[in-house]
Amino acid sequence: MTTGPAGGAADAGAGGPAGGTTGATTDPSAGTAVVLCHGGPGLWDNLAPVADLIDPTQVVHRYDQRGCGRSTGPDDYRLARAVADLDALRAYWGHEQWIVFGHSWGATLALAYAWTHPERTRAVIYCGGVGPGSAWREPCRAESARRLTPEQRTRLAELEDGERTWEEEVDYRTLCWLPDYADPATAEAAARAEAVTPYDINWRANRGLATDLPDVEALAPTVRAPTLILHGEADPRPLANTRLLLDLIPRVRLAVVPDAGHSPWVEARGAVAAELRAFLTTI
């Protein structure tokens, strides 16, 4: 683990020139650089399993975004700030270009980085994203609710408001994330394994970034880098909305991962590894 400047911000890696972020980052040695942008917004880096799937000759950087996980930083929860934080990390680590992988909300961040810094973006991997606009929200809510039992829906509603003990917080997170998995037999255990992570959800970051929405439809056509869209076939976020990006991004291809949900590497590790390595060998 190393520490270093992060543009004042969102990395898991350190006291930054733009204002006092501290944290920790991974920093392997030589090779093509890949940076992994976690989702949320307001969560923490959970992408170590993805790093393990990438060819070991490539440098893989992971980080906690501003105010999340182990990172600190002033409350500046805007997409432009998150993009600037990411580029400050690139400069700190000394890369002229890198490949930007984003998961969930991090997929939006990866695209935004690519249209903001086309000269710095070698490729984009857009994993578990939602596509342009907000039409995905209601179908996603409906499908997520359908995957819970009536008892689970009642318990989730009880936990949503007010203070929660740590045990209640773990239950709340588990019920929120359980529908993201494809296999009902293993979904609860997988969701709980993530839910016990001992970091607070940064709800200020969640609200700020979730409402600072870019015009993806207008800006995605300016992404020059080759782009891989990875989407779990059983992700409750509708694939139809993500497919709209195929008509927007010039150099793009879609890989739908069978028998996998929102974090496809959890349930289909081999398939995701194959897709990542095949894509990365072409750029």
Side-chain angles (χ1 to χ4, degrees):
M1 298 299 234
T2 62
T3 60
D11 65 299
T21 294
T22 59
T25 55
T26 63
D27 190 9
S29 53
T32 303
V34 183
V35 63
L36 307 184
C37 304
H38 66 76
L43 299 180
W44 45 81
D45 167 49
N46 64 343
L47 298 176
V50 176
D52 290 343
L53 301 182
I54 294 173
D55 191 300
T57 64
Q58 294 169 309
V59 175
V60 181
H61 295 291
R62 300 175 9 240
Y63 74 108
D64 287 323
Q65 294 158 21
R66 173 185 292 264
C68 299
R70 297 162 296 170
S71 286
T72 64
D75 289 2
D76 184 358
Y77 301 125
R78 298 171 296 124
L79 181 60
R81 178 71 265 172
V83 169
D85 292 342
L86 185 52
D87 197 52
L89 281 173
R90 177 204 55 78
Y92 172 73
W93 280 316
H95 303 301
E96 288 297 317
Q97 284 191 323
W98 57 1
I99 297 159
V100 186
F101 174 105
H103 174 245
S104 197
W105 180 82
T108 298
L109 174 58
L111 269 192
Y113 183 88
W115 67 56
T116 304
H117 297 290
E119 75 288 357
R120 304 298 187 193
T121 308
R122 184 168 177 179
V124 175
I125 303 171
Y126 183 95
C127 180
V130 297
S134 57
W136 63 273
R137 292 183 183 276
E138 190 51 44
C140 180
R141 289 191 191 103
E143 178 59 18
S144 295
R146 188 191 69 79
R147 296 184 186 188
L148 297 175
T149 67
E151 293 77 17
Q152 288 170 332
R153 290 195 292 271
T154 298
R155 179 59 174 157
L156 179 58
E158 291 171 352
L159 293 170
E160 278 179 336
D161 297 320
E163 296 293 323
R164 292 186 285 269
T165 66
W166 174 245
E167 291 76 15
E168 289 171 335
E169 177 66 17
V170 171
D171 286 346
Y172 171 72
R173 296 178 185 185
T174 299
L175 290 169
C176 285
W177 300 337
L178 185 156
D180 283 343
Y181 296 90
D183 184 355
T186 60
E188 185 167 359
R192 188 166 293 272
E194 183 69 22
V196 297
T197 304
Y199 298 126
D200 292 334
I201 297 173
N202 186 332
W203 289 108
R204 295 190 306 279
N206 181 272
R207 288 188 291 270
L209 289 162
T211 55
D212 186 17
L213 299 174
D215 187 346
V216 173
E217 191 168 4
L219 292 166
T222 69
V223 173
R224 301 203 305 252
T227 300
L228 171 66
I229 297 174
L230 271 176
H231 200 91
E233 190 174 38
D235 192 334
R237 292 146 192 82
L239 178 58
N241 208 68
T242 304
R243 281 186 182 275
L244 297 175
L245 292 172
L246 298 177
D247 294 325
L248 298 173
I249 301 172
R251 302 168 63 192
V252 62
R253 76 176 185 85
L254 170 66
V256 178
V257 184
D259 304 317
H262 186 50
S263 301
W265 62 87
V266 175
E267 297 172 293
R269 177 183 172 87
V272 172
E275 292 290 354
L276 288 176
R277 295 188 180 190
F279 176 69
L280 293 173
T281 59
T282 66
I283 57 174

